[in-house]
């Protein structure tokens, strides 16, 4: 399956979209790159830096003549983007996205696009805590698992072409149901985000913070890293993956309450809780990588 | 102030103690190194690998003739270690420790040592998620803040000599009150440990884990890293820093419940919560390093 496209339009030139532009260039995945960003001047800046060949002032303009459109905006922005580009897509234009949640995006696409068979949702399992064009990195997608979430409408050929591109970018495509994707990322990425956010706020508003900030080292830095991500992206995750995230957050709160009970009772059996978490993490790290 | 000692006894040859042996060698901080570990064979293994010059079968034997004794065991083990070595210390032997919590250790030392003026508590703010002799790293202490917690008994000269050694090891001594130390590390290290532990257990027991474990990447790995530490060390932290840790855990639970309310209400203002955490973390990372 050919992984090369003639013109790829990237809508959203933050960390994910701009890194995709760099990766597409490196992999020879696009003869021409068209870019659009809702923030004034960003697309032009991407063009000046050579990330894209053409900077467009609107999403509609950017997708004209494209054979692949990649939506790389925060999830909620995709709803309007899909509606905005729908009248301007060619009859065979493929559309995919890089959004953090999938069930809603896939539903919007089915609802708004003229040819839902040419849409497949996507979510590369990678990221950085820094955001924006300036954080772009050609190696961002190297070796990552890249979820592809077909709907009932998605044509096998559309799936195969996008999967071939993902492979050409050095990532590993994994076909997965949108709702199952959302439940899985709630348990890992989205709960991590809430845990790190609450941890950062708790620590910095603690009476001991003035001393603690001088003592905080690698452990605290790593545990809170994802709290430095884009707040808008985090908001959209909460607004589009609410129920799965509530379910894992409640399970997390229950775990913490159990730990609190063991702590308050000075129960030495709390060691077994730590040992179980360590064993679970060590087993996860030791698991064979997906082919 | 001279940072060199004649004979240093290290009691406990896990990650912290064994790394200290390597760092002492590199810094020329000890003419001779004596080692003891409660686990059979570990001291002998350290001797065979050249980390220590002499392997001892008991703590009492290891401290004989030492002018500096460093306790490098999990916190609760220090209570018995202090009692075991007390009768065998020379009249001028300095004693310090590397334990995660300080108020209890300092109190035990005052209670058990024949010359409490020669004791000063210590806690280097560094670590690795791996533990044991095999994880030893000569650079573990490079550049870290190393808390020194004198008691009311500690002689200025004892403090100055241990501080000189810490500086010679490439670390930055910070003199701090034991109780203030414990409150500060509860808010950063110990709460991080509980948060990461509960996160790891929640994720791995989630119905979606089979898929999630394939998708989990850098964010999840970093957020849970400290959950791979030594369970016994974690237990002793909980048993010796109970009240400060309960206080920050309750603050953390309150934060999470606030986030849960915003999530359940699909309140777009949750973005401000994420933005506040990001701003707090970015400000912490940007703060000038302690001299």
């Amino acid at each position: 399956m050919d992984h090369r496209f003639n013109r790829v339009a990237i809508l959203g030139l933050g960390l994910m979209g701009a890194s995709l532009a760099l990766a597409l260039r490196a992999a020879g995945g696009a003869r021409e790159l068209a870019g659009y960003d809702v923030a004034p001047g960003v697309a032009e800046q991407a063009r000046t830096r050579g990330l894209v060949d053409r900077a467009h002032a609107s999403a509609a303009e950017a997708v004209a003549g494209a054979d692949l459109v990649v939506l790389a905006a925060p999830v909620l922005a995709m709803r309007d983007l899909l509606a905005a580009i729908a009248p301007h897509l060619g009859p065979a234009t493929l559309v995919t996205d890089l959004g953090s949640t999938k069930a809603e995006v896939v539903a919007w696409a089915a609802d708004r696009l003229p040819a839902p068979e040419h849409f497949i949702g996507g979510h590369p399992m990678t990221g950085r805590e820094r955001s924006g064009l300036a954080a772009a990195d050609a190696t961002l997608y190297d070796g990552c698992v890249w979820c592809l979430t077909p709907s009932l409408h998605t044509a096998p050929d559309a799936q195969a072409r996008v999967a071939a591109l993902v492979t050409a970018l050095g990532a590993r495509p994994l076909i997965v149901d949108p709702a199952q994707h959302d439940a899985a990322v709630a348990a890992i990425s989205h709960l991590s985000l809430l845990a790190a956010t609450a941890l950062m706020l708790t620590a910095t508003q603690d009476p001991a913070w003035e001393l603690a900030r001088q003592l905080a080292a690698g452990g605290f830095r790593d545990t809170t890293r994802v709290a430095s991500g884009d707040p808008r992206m985090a908001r959209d995750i909460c607004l589009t993956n609410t129920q799965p995230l509530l379910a894992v957050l409640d399970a997390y709160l229950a775990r913490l309450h159990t730990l609190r009970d063991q702590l308050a009772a000075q129960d030495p059996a709390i060691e077994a809780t730590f040992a179980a978490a360590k064993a679970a993490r060590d087993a996860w790290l030791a698991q064979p990588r997906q082919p």
Side-chain angles (χ1 to χ4, degrees), chain A:
Chain A
M1 185 61 63
D2 192 1
H3 73 273
R4 289 165 304 177
F5 289 84
N6 189 43
R7 183 193 281 193
V8 177
I10 303 178
L11 308 183
L13 294 164
L15 168 70
M16 302 299 281
S19 296
L20 179 66
L22 292 171
L24 276 168
R25 290 244 196 253
R31 211 174 55 77
E32 189 176 48
L33 281 171
Y36 162 74
D37 195 281
V38 69
V42 169
E44 190 49 40
Q45 199 184 334
R47 196 191 60 75
T48 309
R49 296 193 186 190
L51 274 73
V52 297
D53 302 299
R54 303 162 65 106
H56 294 282
S58 75
E61 196 184 295
V63 304
D67 47 351
L68 175 66
V69 174
V70 183
L71 290 79
V75 176
L76 277 181
M78 304 227 192
R79 193 164 41 182
D80 293 338
L81 272 178
L82 285 162
I85 63 173
H88 305 279
L89 298 171
T93 307
L94 298 184
V95 181
T96 188
D97 78 294
L98 310 179
S100 313
T101 65
K102 296 271 66 79
E104 297 242 34
V105 175
V106 166
W108 297 331
D111 218 40
R112 283 163 177 75
L113 294 182
E117 65 273 25
H118 294 150
F119 177 84
I120 184 165
H123 182 205
M125 302 306 301
T126 182
R128 298 275 190 277
E129 67 271 34
R130 294 182 308 135
S131 46
L133 178 68
D137 177 352
T139 69
L140 182 65
Y141 301 104
D142 277 3
C144 78
V145 172
W146 189 313
C147 293
L148 293 176
T149 60
S151 72
L152 297 174
H153 309 287
T154 305
D157 190 65
Q159 177 175 312
R161 281 212 71 195
V162 175
L165 179 65
V166 165
T167 304
L169 294 174
R172 295 173 288 144
L174 183 70
I175 307 299
V176 53
D177 171 78
Q180 287 180 4
H181 165 277
D182 288 358
V185 293
I188 44 166
S189 305
H190 305 169
L191 182 58
S192 294
L193 182 60
L194 294 186
T197 298
L199 181 57
M200 197 66 221
L201 292 172
T202 303
T204 52
Q205 294 185 18
D206 192 273
W209 176 245
E210 181 50 33
L211 174 60
R213 68 177 182 81
Q214 302 174 53
L215 306 188
F220 184 72
R221 189 180 60 234
D222 283 0
T223 316
T224 58
R225 182 172 68 79
V226 296
S228 280
D230 179 14
R232 168 104 184 267
M233 194 175 95
R235 180 201 72 176
D236 287 5
I237 284 168
C238 292
L239 295 179
T240 60
N241 204 19
T242 311
Q243 290 311 319
L245 188 45
L246 272 177
V248 292
L249 178 55
D250 284 342
Y252 184 58
L253 285 164
R255 283 269 165 211
L256 285 170
H257 279 289
T258 304
L259 269 168
R260 190 199 184 283
D261 291 345
Q262 288 187 296
L263 176 66
Q266 296 199 302
D267 180 358
I270 200 168
E271 182 175 352
T273 307
F274 291 117
K278 175 179 170 57
R281 188 169 185 277
D282 292 350
W284 170 63
L285 288 174
Q287 79 182 14
R289 281 278 160 204
Q290 286 299 102

